[in-house]
Amino acid sequence: MQKFKERWQIQENWQLVFPFLGITGILYSAYKLAKILTKDINFFLTVSVALVVSYLLVKLCLFIFKKLENKWVVQYRWEMIRIFLVFAITGSSSVLVGRPIVKFLGINQENLNAFLYWFLFISVSLIFYQILLVFFGWLFGQFQFFWEFEKKMLRRMGVGFLFKEK
């Protein structure tokens, strides 16, 4: 455990919550993917595939951490896990919030062609993504990182005039 704490620069035991949440999220995602891949043929097959998929997801995350370590300025390595959690929660939440809004507006695939429906659905979800990203960043103690990230993203989308620096 000490090597793990040193690798992720964890000083306090409460900071272990973030790797625990990250691993739990990977295991859950791997299990959901395995259920889709195996079509629930056999529980033991599903669990076996989930273990392989979770191993691959951990390897992918560690690769991405290594690539982003120099790009994202964080004080401790464990904060990168926290940032990844914020991105994961925000992405899922924006779809969950966007779906009822689109339904409330009367937008569905029966009254629009598929392209227009998905364009509007993604647009509505993207609006909520912007708001939720800063909110969850604040909730997880990374407000400044996500505020700067948000301003950079909006500048790239062409609405950077909203954040003119003085």
Side-chain angles (χ1 to χ4, degrees), residues 11-28:
Q11 294 84 27
E12 304 289 331
N13 285 336
W14 68 266
Q15 295 165 344
L16 288 168
V17 165
F18 299 108
F20 174 77
L21 288 174
I23 291 169
T24 303
I26 284 175
L27 289 172
Y28 177 74

Side-chain angles (χ1 to χ4, degrees), residues 102 106-118 120-121:
V102 166
I107 300 169
N108 58 47
Q109 289 180 311
E110 286 80 41
N111 63 6
L112 291 174
N113 73 21
F115 177 78
L116 190 56
Y117 168 78
W118 284 108
L120 292 171
F121 180 77

Side-chain angles (χ1 to χ4, degrees), residues 2-11 15-16 19 61-62 65-66 69 76-81:
Q2 193 58 36
K3 283 179 79 174
F4 180 83
K5 284 182 166 183
E6 288 172 12
R7 176 186 167 105
W8 289 99
Q9 300 172 328
I10 294 173
Q11 294 84 27
Q15 295 165 344
L16 288 168
C61 286
L62 292 175
F65 281 159
K66 192 172 200 101
E69 195 169 24
Y76 302 107
R77 250 189 219 139
W78 63 268
E79 290 179 307
M80 289 187 65
I81 299 170

